[in-house]
Amino acid sequence: MVASKKTARVPKRAAAPAAAAVAAAPAEVPAHVDLGVRLKQRRLEAGLTLAALAEQAGFGKAYLSRIESGQKVPPIGSLARIASVLGIEAASLLTDNTHAQQSWRGVSLVRHADKRPTVMGGSAFGYDYFALTDATTDRALQPFLFTFPDKVDKFVFFEHEGEEMMHVLTGRVEWQVGVDKFILEPGDTLHFDARIPHRGHALAGPATALVVIYSPVGYHPNLA
């Protein structure tokens, strides 16, 4: 007598909950798209049209429109100019700062394990940066962690109101301010007038630096 062989059959419905959970998981919104949405919201709150904000910040309307639609990631200098017209700091456009605004009492502490503001990057200029403190309005001091690109477009420079301080943490950096070029190594600090055209890139591998930008609260840039 030969025993009949039965094949165990797993009900198809057993896998359905897992598949449904995967399908229902929300896709993470890209940082540059989130930035554009937040910028448009702050512009509308300020009662400014796209054309008005672009004119006051010294940009073309089309360029600003591409930022709001998530098609363009602005370098930090451009972001600072836009934020100044809106009366906010640039870091407040990088992350949701609702909690920070409510809890601000003259001091901000961000622990190393706390969720950090959104990392920005992938721009045509190659710079990656994120805010080191909770973003709040009316703060003139803006600290960022920069990661430098290996090379930069020879025609691209940055300039904005205020002062800038750079303290190299890792790697080596060639930084140019006006016609002067500096080779910076870990522990080196450079402080300069941010109105002078500047740019830089990493030398022989990755490089990071603490960059602190100081812009007087309420200044109105007129940078062509």
Side-chain angles (χ1 to χ4, degrees), residues 132 141-144 163-167 210-214:
L132 291 173
L141 192 67
Q142 303 173 49
F144 297 92
E163 301 174 34
E164 192 165 325
M165 186 199 79
M166 178 185 305
H167 180 77
L210 166 66
V211 174
V212 179
I213 298 175
Y214 175 81

Side-chain angles (χ1 to χ4, degrees), residues 2 29 41 49 208 221:
V2 179
V29 178
Q41 178 182 354
T49 63
T208 61

